[in-house]
Amino acid sequence: MSNGKAIQALDLHKSYDEIQAVRGVSFDVRQGEVFALLGPNGAGKSTIISMLCCLLQPSQGEAFVMGHSILKEPSEVKAAIGVIPQEVALYEDLSARENLIFWGKMYGLRGPALKQRVDEILELIGLRARQKGRVGKFSGGMKRRLNIGIGLLHRPQVVIMDEPTVGIDPQSRRNILDNVKELRGEGMTVLYTTHYMEEAQELADHIASMDMGEIIAQGTCDDLIKIVGECDRVDLTISASADRVLETWKATPGVYQVMPEDGKLGLLVDDSNLVLPKLFESASGAGVRITWVDIQEPNLEAVFLHLTGRALRD
Amino acid sequence: MKALDIALKDLTQSFRNLSVLAFIFLVPVLVTGMFYLMFGGLGGDDDEGFALPRTEVQIVNLDAGGLPADAGFLASVPQGSDLRGIHSMGEVLAQFLQGEGFAEVMAVTAAPDAASARTAVDSQEAAVAIVIPQNFTAALIDPTERAVVELYQDPTLTLGPSVVKGIVSQFVDGFSGSKVAIGANVEQLNDAGLAMDAAQLQVLVAQYLASAAGQGRQQIGGESRLLAVVSPTGEGDASPLVGAVGLIMAGMTIFYGFFTGPSSVQSILSEDEKGTLARLFTTPTPQSTILGGKFLATALTVLIQFIALLVFGSLVFGIEWGNPIAVGLVTLGIVAASPAFGIFLMSLIKRARQAGVVLGGVVTLTGILGLASIFAANRSPAAKLVSLFVPQGWALRGLELAMNGGGAGDVLPAVVALLAWSAVFFVIGVTRCRKRFA
């Protein structure tokens, strides 16, 4: 029985020779919620997804999807999930409708039920008018929508979405996020991986923040933000090399973290109103001019920075 | 059912791809058509397909003879024999070559002497000069006498002189046999104390000659046959050149059929790289069903290709493929072997990018080994033997047997060999694939 848990991961490990991609990951996803696995590239999110989809066998540990063991009941697990892979996985020589029909058959749909569901999905993803068009001629956004539609064909109990918004335009991204919200509204369970903090913050009921194959924190968005307390995130751009102020700023009272990134400096500070004047003063003393400042309320980015000393986008 | 869905999806993709269609259907037809045109198949006045260009032959009979012309000798010659009026083996050979049976393949004219015959070849007025030596008949009677028939040919020509050489060799082999037999008879009689006098020996020679002449007529078919195409299973009536185009078309069909299998199976690699294979594995579809669907798609593609090319060869080139059941059985073997070969090769390759080179190289190499006997001189037995080390060779063997009149029983060993190849390739390939995608 699933005991209200759509997914239960228990001490999952996955190793490739010397590399430990996943190290003792455990989490529960409740039925009907959106659960986000948040972490930078290489954190182990996709490896966990592959194990939950029965594509990879864990080196150690076990997981259950809708109460079915991924080790002992892979067929039942596969029937319960709808997978939306990171890369668009479609047949470009076939039309959108032909793709949906084929994948529907692979999920066991046949006859009038398949036809009706294909029509519904085409409506849902907004491709009814282009249903006969060859997928190879579709835009990236249209392919992404179709990619999602295929994962929803058989009305899965659990939808697994692996970084579905990577490399697409803002409008398509917005559509995908809205789709996820609709799915939650319909009572579907969604496991969503991303390295975009804003997406996790907007969509997820629960978040597991991952780094280096481990879950470093998990809970609701508010739970996680409480980890960094009332810290502010301050991003600065300076006129000279960061080396000239780095050590001074690290030693400044009220500054918890200083991290150079993409020509900027990211700081985690106690109270930006009190700390910023000190930063300006020390920069001036070092002959460095601060050219841009951005202050953010505590968020998941700050949590990740606080826990790992690195930015989420690394 | 899902395997069929996967197969139909793959077939739809393949048949929407123009380059795939060209490779499957157009290229084999073009290659065979090229050979057809090379042999002048479209230049003939009739609809028989190939017309072998007649070979101009000049014959010089220098044989001094040695057979008696008296009534006693003639009386000893069997009634109805062609030897009546003929006094030398040279005349027998000349008449043999000038017979109606060979009229379609060579035009034989008598030259006054050896020099003028050779000159005619040098000036390309004739393709071959045949010089029958002065002691040709004497060599038959006297075991110690050695005679050599000279074949002087234009070195730039191959096909015509080869045909003439084959025909003359056939006769000379018979001549040598007669010579050995006569010598053995005389020796045995001598050992038994029954020495033959000259007259008795001449009668014996005459009887052998009559027999040889009769055999010659049989060998050339007497009535309308030129060269009997004798197969291990029986005789076929087809013209040798229609048979040659048939063989080439069979070769091309097999060659490209074995290309189609690995090329189609390559879609597994392509799907692996595009992510659709992994997505298929996330559906409740067993891995064996997915691989089975891929195999089925490839087998159906090869089947469609094979049937289309056989029908095309029959309609356009006039090729008679033989007993439909036998051809069907061979087709079944090929349809099983080609995809299995593809799965085996694909299991050895890691990336689709490597596939073109590796698949192309291996399929071409095995294709050459398997089909080289078509183009080898005199259909070399060695080439035929080597061809059996690859499935294409067995496919050719089966189809050739069917084309030569073989029935289902005759092609069965080749079909069984193809199925055995298929089983070996399939088991190794699927085992490796399962490990790879596990």
Side-chain angles (χ1 to χ4, degrees):
Chain A
M1 293 297 290
S2 58
N3 297 325
K5 292 173 186 171
I7 300 173
Q8 191 175 19
L10 301 170
D11 194 30
L12 285 175
H13 286 75
K14 184 66 191 177
S15 303
Y16 302 98
D17 298 325
E18 298 295 306
I19 300 164
Q20 281 194 292
V22 175
R23 316 175 195 200
V25 166
S26 299
F27 62 88
D28 293 339
V29 180
R30 289 200 299 258
Q31 287 184 29
E33 75 170 355
V34 175
F35 188 97
L37 282 174
L38 175 68
N41 293 329
K45 306 185 298 292
S46 294
T47 308
I48 291 173
I49 295 291
S50 295
M51 287 190 280
L52 292 176
C53 297
C54 311
L55 290 177
L56 282 179
Q57 280 236 328
S59 309
Q60 188 186 320
E62 167 69 296
F64 297 89
V65 178
M66 297 309 294
H68 300 294
S69 162
I70 60 167
L71 298 175
K72 295 171 188 162
E73 303 164 284
S75 296
E76 287 80 359
V77 170
K78 288 176 181 180
I81 60 174
V83 181
I84 295 156
Q86 184 172 347
E87 299 297 329
V88 169
L90 304 167
Y91 296 108
E92 303 218 332
D93 299 324
L94 304 183
S95 69
R97 188 176 190 87
E98 286 169 336
N99 263 283
L100 288 167
I101 287 172
F102 171 74
W103 288 107
K105 286 177 177 173
M106 292 302 103
Y107 281 112
L109 299 174
R110 301 273 157 189
L114 172 62
K115 186 179 175 300
Q116 185 188 339
R117 186 60 183 154
V118 166
D119 288 335
E120 286 171 9
I121 292 291
L122 283 167
E123 197 67 49
L124 177 76
I125 60 178
L127 288 177
R128 177 175 277 280
R130 298 291 304 274
Q131 61 177 298
K132 290 182 180 172
R134 292 264 179 102
V135 171
K137 294 182 178 173
F138 281 10
S139 68
M142 290 163 75
K143 287 179 185 173
R144 284 277 178 189
R145 277 144 59 195
L146 182 58
N147 201 39
I148 291 172
I150 286 168
L152 305 176
L153 266 168
H154 61 302
R155 300 180 199 277
Q157 292 164 291
V158 178
V159 178
I160 297 177
M161 304 177 94
D162 191 9
E163 305 240 22
T165 58
V166 170
I168 60 167
D169 60 276
Q171 191 185 349
S172 296
R173 185 184 185 198
R174 188 70 259 155
N175 284 338
I176 289 170
L177 297 181
D178 289 344
N179 281 340
V180 175
K181 287 178 186 170
E182 282 174 33
L183 294 176
R184 181 173 49 189
E186 290 170 13
M188 264 186 202
T189 306
V190 180
L191 176 61
Y192 189 99
T193 78
T194 182
H195 64 268
Y196 295 123
M197 171 271 297
E198 322 84 68
E199 290 183 4
Q201 210 158 345
E202 179 179 344
L203 297 173
D205 300 302
H206 282 89
I207 299 165
S209 187
M210 288 193 70
D211 188 42
M212 313 276 282
E214 292 176 305
I215 291 180
I216 53 173
Q218 63 175 312
T220 63
C221 189
D222 290 341
D223 291 340
L224 295 181
I225 288 170
K226 279 179 191 164
I227 293 172
V228 291
E230 296 302 315
C231 286
D232 288 336
R233 162 80 191 233
V234 178
D235 288 318
L236 294 156
T237 309
I238 56 175
S239 62
S241 166
D243 296 341
R244 291 172 63 178
V245 292
L246 197 60
E247 293 307 317
T248 313
W249 284 3
K250 276 182 179 174
T252 303
V255 175
Y256 297 123
Q257 300 268 359
V258 183
M259 196 200 48
E261 53 174 81
D262 300 339
K264 291 189 299 184
L265 281 166
L267 288 83
L268 205 58
V269 302
D270 191 12
D271 183 341
S272 54
N273 286 340
L274 295 174
V275 172
L276 267 175
K278 295 176 190 168
L279 298 179
F280 273 95
E281 190 181 332
S282 56
S284 178
V288 174
R289 202 157 56 86
I290 295 174
T291 56
W292 178 80
V293 179
D294 180 38
I295 303 166
Q296 294 170 28
E297 291 290 305
N299 58 21
L300 293 173
E301 182 85 32
V303 175
F304 193 84
L305 184 66
H306 177 71
L307 294 172
T308 67
R310 291 182 294 110
L312 201 49
R313 66 183 72 98
D314 276 353
Chain B
M1 193 66 179
K2 283 186 183 178
L4 189 61
D5 294 326
I6 292 170
L8 290 176
K9 184 267 297 172
D10 277 8
L11 280 178
T12 306
Q13 286 183 289
S14 293
F15 287 99
R16 279 183 185 172
N17 188 326
L18 279 180
S19 58
V20 170
L21 287 179
F23 190 79
I24 290 177
F25 299 113
L26 199 60
V27 175
V29 166
L30 284 178
V31 174
T32 309
M34 195 176 70
F35 279 100
Y36 186 75
L37 290 171
M38 275 168 59
F39 287 121
L42 295 181
D45 295 326
D46 52 30
D47 293 331
E48 289 181 5
F50 271 114
L52 181 68
R54 287 178 88 201
T55 305
E56 293 292 335
V57 177
Q58 296 240 337
I59 189 163
V60 186
N61 183 12
L62 302 176
D63 190 1
L67 299 176
D70 58 48
F73 170 75
L74 288 175
S76 69
V77 173
Q79 289 294 318
S81 165
D82 290 337
L83 277 185
R84 290 180 180 278
I86 290 177
H87 303 96
S88 74
M89 280 300 294
E91 286 177 67
V92 174
L93 176 55
Q95 197 180 70
F96 175 67
L97 295 176
Q98 288 173 309
E100 281 181 19
F102 293 125
E104 285 185 26
V105 289
M106 59 184 178
V108 182
T109 51
D113 53 58
S116 60
R118 291 190 193 105
T119 305
V121 172
D122 292 341
S123 60
Q124 296 192 319
E125 289 170 20
V128 183
I130 300 168
V131 181
I132 302 168
Q134 192 178 6
N135 63 342
F136 195 45
T137 306
L140 185 64
I141 299 167
D142 182 357
T144 61
E145 191 79 31
R146 184 170 176 272
V148 176
V149 176
E150 180 186 336
L151 213 72
Y152 188 79
Q153 73 168 80
D154 182 344
T156 62
L157 301 174
T158 52
L159 190 59
S162 293
V163 171
V164 175
K165 184 184 171 187
I167 294 167
V168 172
S169 296
Q170 204 175 359
F171 183 91
V172 170
D173 286 347
F175 174 85
S176 300
S178 300
K179 182 176 162 70
V180 170
I182 289 170
N185 278 345
V186 170
E187 198 172 315
Q188 282 177 346
L189 288 170
N190 282 340
D191 289 347
L194 300 168
M196 294 180 77
D197 59 24
Q200 287 172 318
L201 184 61
Q202 284 171 343
V203 169
L204 182 63
V205 169
Q207 286 172 339
Y208 269 110
L209 274 177
S211 168
Q215 281 179 6
R217 288 182 64 81
Q218 284 174 6
Q219 282 168 343
I220 63 174
E223 295 80 30
S224 59
R225 285 183 177 178
L226 296 175
L227 297 167
V229 180
V230 181
S231 74
T233 56
E235 290 186 344
D237 290 333
S239 147
L241 287 173
V242 169
V245 165
L247 214 51
I248 291 167
M249 184 79 192
M252 290 303 112
T253 304
I254 291 165
F255 185 81
Y256 287 97
F258 273 86
F259 244 114
T260 300
S263 300
S264 299
V265 172
Q266 200 182 318
S267 72
I268 295 178
L269 287 177
S270 167
E271 286 212 35
D272 189 26
E273 288 182 11
K274 288 177 180 168
T276 45
L277 189 65
R279 190 168 206 168
L280 272 174
F281 289 150
T282 67
T283 66
T285 308
Q287 203 183 68
S288 55
T289 303
I290 295 169
L291 283 176
K294 292 283 176 191
F295 187 90
L296 185 61
T298 307
L300 286 173
T301 308
V302 176
L303 180 65
I304 292 167
Q305 176 190 30
F306 219 79
I307 291 173
L309 291 177
L310 291 184
V311 170
F312 183 89
S314 182
L315 294 177
V316 177
F317 299 127
I319 298 164
E320 291 179 12
W321 296 108
N323 181 323
I325 295 172
V327 175
L329 282 172
V330 177
T331 304
L332 177 74
I334 293 169
V335 164
S338 175
F341 191 39
I343 285 179
F344 168 72
L345 291 179
M346 193 275 302
S347 73
L348 305 176
I349 297 166
K350 287 190 174 172
R351 299 196 174 281
R353 267 180 298 173
Q354 301 171 320
V357 178
V358 176
L359 294 184
V362 174
V363 175
T364 303
L365 185 66
T366 52
I368 288 170
L369 279 177
L371 308 173
S373 67
I374 295 173
F375 302 100
N378 296 325
R379 307 292 325 281
S380 155
K384 282 189 175 182
L385 182 67
V386 168
S387 75
L388 300 182
F389 286 95
V390 291
Q392 290 95 324
W394 286 100
L396 179 66
R397 184 180 171 82
L399 212 50
E400 200 177 348
L401 284 169
M403 289 168 73
N404 285 334
D410 300 309
V411 302
L412 211 53
V415 175
V416 168
L418 280 169
L419 293 177
W421 275 108
S422 311
V424 171
F425 285 141
F426 188 79
V427 168
I428 296 173
V430 168
T431 305
R432 288 180 61 89
C433 284
R434 278 179 179 275
K435 282 182 186 170
R436 179 173 173 173
F437 297 119

